[in-house]
Structures are given as C-alpha cells and as structure tokens.
Amino acid sequence: MRELYLDNNATTRPDPAVIQEMELYFRDIYANPSSVHRAGVEADRALRRARERIARLAGVAESSIVFTSGGTESNNMALKGIAQAYRQRGKHIVTTEIEHPAVLEPLTQLEQRGFEVTRVNPRADGMVTTENVVEAIREDTILVSVMHVNNETGAILPVSEMARRAKEKRPHVLFHSDGVQAFGKIPVQLINIDSYSASAHKLHGPRGVGLLFLSPGTTITPLLAGGGHENGRRSGTENLPAIAGFARAYELAVQAQEASLRTLSSIHDSFVAGLRTLGDVTVITPEDTLPTTINASFYPIPGEVMVNALSEEGIYVSTGAACSNRGKKKSHVLEAMGIAPHIADSSIRFSLSRHTSSQEMERVLETLAKLLPRLRTVAQRMVS
Amino acid sequence: MKHDNVLIVAAYDEIALKGRKRRWFAGLLLDNIAAICKVPRESVREEWGRVYMSVPPGRDVEDVCGSMQRVFGLTWFAIATACSLEIDAFRAEAVTQARARYAEGARTFAIQTMRPNKKFPLSSKHVEIDVGDAVLKETPEYTVNLSAPEATIYIELRHTQSLVYSKRRRGPGGLPVGSTGKALLLLSGGIDSPVAGWYLQKRGLKVDLLYFHSPPYTGAQAREKVIDLARQLSTWSGRTMKLYVSRFTEIQERVAEHVGRTNWTVSHRRFMHMIAHHILTQNGYNAIATGDCIGQVASQTLANMNAIDAATPDLVLRPLVGMDKSEIIRHAREIGTYDISVRPFEDCCVLFAPRHPTTYGRVHVIERQESTLDRDGLITDALAHTEELHFTGTENSL
C-alpha cells in the first residue's frame, strides 16, 4: 500500500536536497560560529551566507532576521518582547479568534500580567475583515497580531493591507503576523509589518528552526538572555545545520512557488468539486484560500473515525476538530466561525504540499467513495 | 564488596515446600528467576528452601535485585557475602556490615544465626554472642535490641560456606508464574485490566492477553497503548507473553443493527467472551479473566456479569471485584501501567457506547436479539482476523 501523506500543515517531509545540505554542517562545518579560530570563522561565514540567502529572497535586510527554534518561539518572542518593550505606550493588544495557540496562549499570559487583549471574530467563511481589525484598535493599542494563513481553514488574511490601515489609524501601533503556514508558500509583502514568524518544517525543511523578521527600529525585550547571539535578541549557539537547511528549503519553495500555486489551485478546485459529488459533505471555503488546505465535514461520521479509516488505506490526514478520550477538544477556529458543533466534530483536514499530485487526490476521492457508504450507515444509526 | 564472593540469597513461601510437587515448583521458580533477571540458568540454584544466585560477572547487583522484585514466589531476598566457615572470617564480615548500617543511621542491632549445617561446632547462640561482642567492640555506640532491632545481621552457616547479609528486601510474594495454570485476560487499554493481569500472575497463572480493536472506530494509538501495556506486564512473566489482537469492527456494526441500544455493551462483552472461548479451547487456557470490579460501570453489575458469563461455559476470573477504584489506581502506579493507561489519545469507541446502558441485562432478551445474527460466522471471521504478538519482558518480537 502506497502511503499518501496529507498532513502537511502539521509538518512536512524534509526535501532530500535539504538533508544533503545539512549533512555538510553536521559532518564538516561543526564549529561554533562565535569561535575565533579558522573553523569558527568558516562556520560564521556559512551562517552569514544562510542569512543572506533568506534575506535576499524575502526582500529584507539581513539584520532583520532573528533565527529561533521554530514558530512557537518566534511568536512568543514577538508578542512578549514587543509588549514588554513598548508597555509605556499602552497595554492594549488586538488579535483574532482564529490564531494558532502559539499566539493565543502567550497573549493569555500577557493578560495575566496586566495587558488587555481584544480578539476579533472571523466571518462564517473563516476570513477576518480589515475593517473589524482596524475598528478594534484604540488610543492605547500598542500591538496588532494577525496570522497570515490559518492552519485549519487555509484562509489567507490580508495582513499587509491590515498593517497599512492600522498605521493610518494609529501610527505608533506595531503589527505582528504569524506567517508559519504562509512563509515560502505565498509571496509576503513585509512593508508596514513589524514582525513576522516563520518555521522551516512547514516547507520541507528541518524541525527545530524558525525565524522572526523584525523591521528596522523595532526593539524587543529578548526571551532568552545569554551570550548575546543574534544581535542580543536571541541567545544560544546558532543551530547552523538547521539554519542552512532552512535556507535551502526556502529557496526551493520560492523557486517552485508560482508554478506550484497554479497547479495546486487546479488540484484544489477539482478535489473540492469531487468532494461535493460525494453526497452530504460540508466544505469550508474561505473567500481567499491557500489551495493546500481543505477542511471538509462528513457528518455524521466523527472526524477521528474518518482519520482512522483513511489511515487504514494509507492516507494520512488530521481531524479538523479533535475529540479526545478526555472529553471533547473543540476547534476554537471552527467554533469562532460559528460552525455547528456536530459539523465541526465531523471535520477533517487535508493539507497538501507542492509535491502532491492530482492523481493522488483522485485516489483520495476514490477511497472516500468506497468508504463513505458503510461508515455513513453505521454513524447514522449512532446518532438517530 | 568484592564481586566474586557476592551472591543473592532469596526465600520462597514455606507453604509451597509441602507436597510432592515441591521439586517441580522450585524448578519453575528458578527458571523464572533466570528468565526475569536475565542470568544463565546455571547461576541459580536451590538448597534447603533457599535460592542462591551468583551474579554473573559484568552484571550490576542492584540491577539484578530490581528484577528480583518482579519474581512472583519470592518472599524476600538479600545481597549476601559468602565467607568461609572460619569464625574469624564471617565475624569480620558481620562487623563490617554492622558498621555500615550504623553509618546509615541504625542505632540498635541484633545478630541472627541460621545453622542448617548441624556439624558446625558452635551453637547459633554461641555465634550470636561472639559476633555481637565483636560488633560492640568495634562500634561501642550501638545498643543490642533483640526484639525490634533497627539493623539485623544475618549469618547462615551452610555446608561449605557461611553467608552474611543485613538487608532483606521484600519480594512480591505469591506463586511462581506457570505453577497454577493458564489464563486469557481481556485487555482493554484502561487502568483496571493490567492490574488484574498482575494479580493473576501473582497467583502463579501464566497470563496471555486478548485485545479487540475496531478499525476505524479505534485507531493506531489505542493499539500502540495496549502493546506498551503488554510489554510492561510481560516483565513479571519470565516467559513469552502472547497478545492476541482480534478485529471487532464487524461485530460492533452488526450488533448495532440487531441488538437493542441499551444492550450493546453487554452484547459486545458476550461476543468478546465467545471469541476468547475459541482461543481458550484451541490453546489450552483454563480460564477467561477480566479487569471488572463490581458496580463500577453499568456493565459491571452482577446481572450484566451473569449475562456475559452465560455466553460461554468457561470459568471467568475477576481478580479486582473487591477493590476500590483508588486502590486499583494506586496499584497501577506501582506496577508502572498507570501512565500508559491514561495516555491521552483520540478514541471513538464511545461511538458504540449507548448513552443509557442497561444495568440489568436479561440473558434471554439479549440471547434472542443476538440470535438474529450470524454469530458463528462473525466469530469465525474475527478469529481469522486475529494476529498474535509476543513479548519477552523487554521488547516485542514480531
């Protein structure tokens, strides 16, 4: 049975070229970039090269890149670091209901430290409007944090536009965006955006490395104090093999970006059309969506039953909203969109990568057509 | 302590000594010790109701002692130093061990001598007084306390050597696994059934396991959990523990069609016992066992247990009937299965759990509803989809 991995929003398979590049750094260029001997200088040169490669492709200054351990750290660093550094200006933060926990949880911690957070609701299709975000900004707002692409629905939020409008209203407001699901997959326009999180393992790079873009002039209080690496913004010996792998993965993603977005859009559209022929299926389709995420609900079949059934067939997907044996673990995203709980509990997420082919998605449709009648009969009996 | 004169001495229940089966019984115990401690069988021997193990070179004594704690049938064991039968030799060792115990905080002591070697020229009493005096001379701060000493130094005078030890550690008690029969335990992945498996093994049963999975209604995570539980339970076994993984999907689906909703749970359990019955007869097990205790959940009422037991002619053992949940949990923690059992995972077997399960399952009603099903066909099919995994105390061999 051929395995078909469709859980790319969770993590991706590292590209062989990435692994090959990393191997060099594990084997040969292993010195600490801070060391003064020749091996250290060579490692430092390699680190600078990796930073250059990413900066050039992203169109930012090298000094604006802070390498981190991944998306969670980048978001924590931005939110806590900015809130702490700018707390004299005000204590109000604006965000959305559909952010990843790596944004929502640090903000909850900030609330416990005296900050006030406004969470803007999405529309029923998963989009958050610029108007609603801008409206939530007050006199004492210091920071706005809006994700670029939602991990559960694929909704692409107009963050550049939001940042521009936010600054029109309050020039001193800082704008953070969690770009973990977007970076490398769609073009990013960082003008007006003060900080932006990215992670390597969502684009066929290694785990354990991410970055935060920080616009010139934005100061943060560092989360990790120590030897003063990354211009004093993030201490800790640089993870050179992973950083080099990240640079390679990003280059490959950007090179393929335009072509794969075109291909994936057509794969997405025919897959969604195919899903709709399978009878009672609810597909969440945001107005602007990344074609790599498809969230579909096969009520009354519980999401985890669908995940197991597809897993038996070698197709790996995720539940949209997970039910665990410790009670229902709802999806805060689908809930905020106003999706009925029974539909949310039945939803599953197909997340594709640029390597996913239309034949593979055909196979998913055929498998679903095979599985659904029996599962529907059983599940129907359970709910009736 | 020099390694070459260190050995582990252990004792088993006196009651077991009685009867004609003593030799066979002791042989099983030695086999189990060798297997669980992973030492060569020749390094373990039995003599006069005692077990002696010479710790193989390169093995850590404490590591072997950790394994001894998992050998059912042992009441206690100790790390002993072997000395000659010269009184100067074992006296010196006893004084050393007494001083070590003083350093660890003991302030009262006693010497206790056992003299299976009746040819030894001095009486036990004589030896105890002689050695006790020597201990007091070396460590005058010590007080003798014969009724409740903080440290007891044991001296065993045997035929070719003497043994000196001071710390008896409690073994798990019970009877050697394999000495009383074979049981097939229904393992669910919950907290209770692994504890039941421990108690069954404690009373000398060779236990194998039967798990029902129901893809796609139960997932790979649930199966993985049961595999880890089996591995943990097998560390007490000393022999290969089998885990039968049987496919229950079709039975659940058919039962949902043919049996009244309130009776689903009882009917599922009846089918599990019917499948167990076939494995039982084909493989020579003497009983089915479960982790039920009374009244804990709706399926564990006496009426429902009756309805379940009526499904097969087999003896059904339920070693946990008298225990409270809190006792079971405490025990599960002690035997290292609790953390595995409560591991969170996405489970949907609740899908087939009726909201209001019956607490009074009537056998004839359930029987009649089930009779509209092709019971034999379903059971044959489940048996055909049963895989067998083997566990040998450390890792699984597929």
Side-chain angles (χ1 to χ4, degrees), chain B residues 70-144:
Chain B
R70 294 173 182 268
V71 181
F72 288 116
L74 296 179
T75 48
W76 60 262
F77 60 94
I79 302 171
T81 304
C83 302
S84 73
L85 281 168
E86 296 295 318
I87 191 164
D88 289 347
F90 61 75
R91 186 202 292 122
E93 177 61 27
V95 166
T96 307
Q97 290 194 17
R99 198 172 49 214
R101 294 296 300 273
Y102 185 87
E104 287 169 25
R107 291 296 172 262
T108 59
F109 80 101
I111 307 293
Q112 194 178 321
T113 305
M114 283 140 287
R115 192 168 151 268
N117 177 356
K118 298 301 172 202
K119 290 182 184 146
F120 190 79
L122 303 173
S123 72
S124 294
K125 196 92 206 146
H126 190 118
V127 169
E128 283 165 9
I129 291 166
D130 176 293
V131 176
D133 283 347
V135 168
L136 283 173
K137 206 171 151 197
E138 174 72 26
T139 317
E141 299 85 351
Y142 249 137
T143 322
V144 174

Side-chain angles (χ1 to χ4, degrees), chain B residues 255-369:
Chain B
V255 165
E257 284 168 18
H258 293 254
V259 174
R261 185 181 284 253
T262 55
N263 289 329
W264 281 356
T265 309
V266 175
S267 183
H268 291 159
R269 294 291 302 272
R270 284 167 52 86
F271 270 97
M272 290 179 186
H273 282 232
M274 288 186 258
I275 292 166
H277 171 74
H278 282 267
I279 298 175
L280 211 76
T281 43
Q282 282 158 22
N283 297 276
Y285 295 96
N286 312 104
I288 298 174
T290 78
D292 293 330
C293 68
I294 292 174
Q296 195 187 62
V297 296
S299 70
Q300 296 177 343
T301 60
L302 290 188
N304 285 345
M305 285 189 196
N306 242 318
I308 293 162
D309 288 6
T312 73
D314 306 300
L315 169 65
V316 180
L317 298 174
R318 294 183 169 89
L320 305 188
V321 276
M323 291 175 77
D324 293 341
K325 192 71 182 180
S326 58
E327 291 176 78
I328 298 173
I329 288 175
R330 179 158 39 82
H331 210 87
R333 285 187 202 277
E334 280 166 16
I335 65 172
T337 55
Y338 182 79
D339 289 343
I340 304 172
S341 292
V342 300
R343 202 186 285 166
F345 68 95
E346 297 191 11
D347 193 3
C348 32
C349 66
V350 288
L351 190 69
F352 286 99
R355 269 180 292 277
H356 302 290
T358 181
T359 52
Y360 195 82
R362 288 177 179 76
V363 181
H364 63 279
V365 175
I366 299 174
E367 284 262 359
R368 196 179 57 235
Q369 293 176 342

Side-chain angles (χ1 to χ4, degrees), chain A residues 64 66-87 92-95 99 102-107 109-110 113 115 142-147 173-180 190 193-198 210-215 218-224 233-234:
Chain A
S64 67
V66 183
F67 286 116
T68 66
S69 64
T72 296
E73 188 192 330
S74 296
N75 284 321
N76 271 268
M77 179 193 284
L79 299 168
K80 292 175 183 169
I82 288 172
Q84 177 71 10
Y86 294 87
R87 68 188 184 286
H92 183 239
I93 300 169
V94 174
T95 189
E99 300 296 309
V103 166
L104 292 176
E105 292 305 314
L107 288 178
Q109 288 181 324
L110 286 172
R113 294 186 215 157
F115 288 87
I142 54 169
L143 174 64
V144 178
S145 179
V146 179
M147 75 194 325
V173 93
L174 290 161
F175 197 97
H176 170 70
S177 182
D178 171 6
V180 165
L190 287 174
I193 293 177
D194 300 288
S195 66
Y196 189 86
S197 306
L211 61 74
L212 185 69
F213 289 114
L214 269 180
S215 64
T218 305
T219 50
I220 55 158
T221 307
L223 278 184
L224 303 181
R233 295 175 294 193
R234 201 274 188 185

Side-chain angles (χ1 to χ4, degrees), chain A residues 6 30 147 150 169 181 244 263 308 371:
Chain A
L6 293 176
Y30 51 81
M147 75 194 325
N150 182 271
K169 182 172 177 182
Q181 294 290 350
T263 325
N308 289 337
L371 292 173

Side-chain angles (χ1 to χ4, degrees), chain A residues 225-290:
Chain A
H229 306 79
E230 300 292 298
N231 274 329
R233 295 175 294 193
R234 201 274 188 185
S235 289
T237 301
E238 300 87 347
N239 187 356
L240 186 53
I243 290 170
F246 189 3
R248 187 86 186 101
Y250 181 50
E251 282 170 351
L252 292 169
V254 171
Q255 274 163 25
Q257 201 177 75
E258 239 188 275
S260 47
L261 269 178
R262 260 198 315 275
T263 325
L264 284 165
S265 288
S266 99
I267 293 175
H268 170 276
D269 292 350
S270 48
F271 183 66
V272 170
L275 282 177
R276 295 197 199 283
T277 66
L278 294 172
D280 201 4
V281 182
T282 311
V283 187
I284 293 167
T285 45
E287 182 187 303
D288 192 9
T289 182
L290 197 60

